Amino acid sequence: MNGLSTISGEFRLAERESAFQSERLPESRRHARNLFILSTILNTLFLLSDWRFAGTAHFWVAVPARLAVIIWSIVSLWLTRRMTSFRAVERICFAWQVVTAIGVAFLVSSRSDIAIFVLVMLPLVFYLVVPTSYRGNVGGGLACGIVLLIGYLAPAPLSSTMPGMVLAMLILHCGMCIAIARNNRLQRQEWTAGQVAQAVQLELANSRDTLQRMFMAVPLPLLVTRYDGHLLHLNRVAIDAYGAGHDVRLDIVEPDVISRSIGVDLSLIHI
């Protein structure tokens, strides 16, 4: 009935969805730029902590993977100037998601204390922060979760915690799919309401202009006064008949002047 998909919360009509995304393009570009900046800063800080692996075999896995994520975040930031359409935003964000997910998958293979946190946190970023469509958010978040889970379990694929972790990640991703669809639906309902309000305002403005032209075109003198008798408005025939020039401020014309001219007590005419 409302034109929204029950699964994704997006508009069913591609043209309407495209109009929605085009209007939000500046916001999407800004979010993508901030995402790449934060990725560069945070991964640089994490790079300093990766030196704790110095002297171990994982050091030569962690540092190159972290550097790859940092460098690609900087490249993505530079590419934001080419985000002239929503499709361009999606393509650049998708490339960033792929490199980041693969790089972090190598990092969580250390199975350190923070690896579990990253295993949950990064897919949430892909779901909630990356400014793409429902397909990009859900596909990116789900693929990221699978890649990270593989990287985390690779050193011990038959561990006793594997079934529980798989189920926990499945619950997390199902919940995020529902949350993203709900958020998409609310955003588009708000946008639709704004579009309807603008259309109504435009229609009212056009109606007001039409009534004004009709009022001015009536071939009889028409006057509008306030309750206290002060003149508010009069049409062109009234101006010509009673001597008020077009440059006169009609709201300060004395009512008794017009009353004497037309023989009618304006204090008896109210709106």
Side-chain angles (χ1 to χ4, degrees), residues 16 19 23 189-201:
R16 192 159 177 77
E23 188 172 311
Q189 288 175 346
E190 181 182 1
W191 181 77
T192 300
Q195 294 289 310
V196 172
Q198 291 179 3
V200 170
Q201 290 178 354

Side-chain angles (χ1 to χ4, degrees), residues 64-254:
R66 187 77 69 181
L67 286 174
V69 174
I70 294 172
I71 293 173
W72 191 248
S73 296
I74 295 174
V75 172
S76 299
L77 179 62
W78 179 79
L79 290 174
T80 54
R81 67 183 65 185
R82 299 189 179 184
M83 291 180 176
T84 57
S85 67
F86 182 72
R87 293 302 179 190
V89 175
E90 281 195 308
R91 287 194 295 268
I92 294 173
C93 288
F94 175 74
W96 177 82
Q97 287 175 303
V98 170
V99 174
T100 301
I102 294 175
V104 176
F106 282 101
L107 292 169
V108 297
S109 64
S110 66
R111 300 174 67 88
S112 62
D113 295 337
I114 199 174
I116 293 290
F117 171 75
V118 175
L119 199 65
V120 175
M121 181 271 297
L122 188 60
L124 293 181
V125 171
F126 284 13
Y127 276 113
L128 300 175
V129 182
V130 180
T132 62
S133 62
Y134 179 84
R135 177 183 56 190
N137 288 131
V138 173
L142 184 60
C144 176
I146 294 173
V147 171
L148 293 187
L149 193 59
I150 292 174
Y152 183 85
L153 296 175
L158 300 179
S159 64
S160 59
T161 60
M162 182 186 68
M165 292 189 63
V166 171
L167 289 176
M169 295 299 292
L170 182 61
I171 294 173
L172 171 66
H173 288 281
C174 289
M176 289 310 303
C177 289
I178 296 173
I180 291 298
R182 180 177 182 274
N183 183 62
N184 286 344
R185 190 175 298 109
L186 292 175
Q187 286 183 340
R188 284 152 181 81
Q189 288 175 346
E190 181 182 1
W191 181 77
T192 300
Q195 294 289 310
V196 172
Q198 291 179 3
V200 170
Q201 290 178 354
L202 180 60
E203 184 176 350
L204 288 175
N206 293 335
S207 299
R208 191 181 302 113
D209 292 341
T210 300
L211 290 174
Q212 173 68 9
R213 288 194 295 269
M214 292 175 60
F215 178 83
M216 297 300 291
V218 172
L220 297 174
L222 297 179
L223 300 95
V224 181
T225 68
R226 289 203 304 257
Y227 181 80
D228 57 5
H230 281 78
L231 187 63
L232 291 176
H233 198 38
L234 65 165
N235 67 351
R236 186 172 296 105
V237 176
I239 293 174
D240 295 338
Y242 308 132
H246 291 279
D247 58 344
V248 175
R249 291 181 59 187
L250 302 179
D251 58 335
I252 61 174
V253 174
E254 292 297 332

Side-chain angles (χ1 to χ4, degrees), residues 27-41 77 80 129:
E27 180 183 359
S28 298
R29 290 180 59 185
R30 183 172 63 254
H31 285 178
R33 188 184 305 110
N34 292 339
L35 174 64
F36 301 149
I37 291 174
L38 289 175
S39 176
T40 302
I41 295 174
L77 179 62
T80 54
V129 182

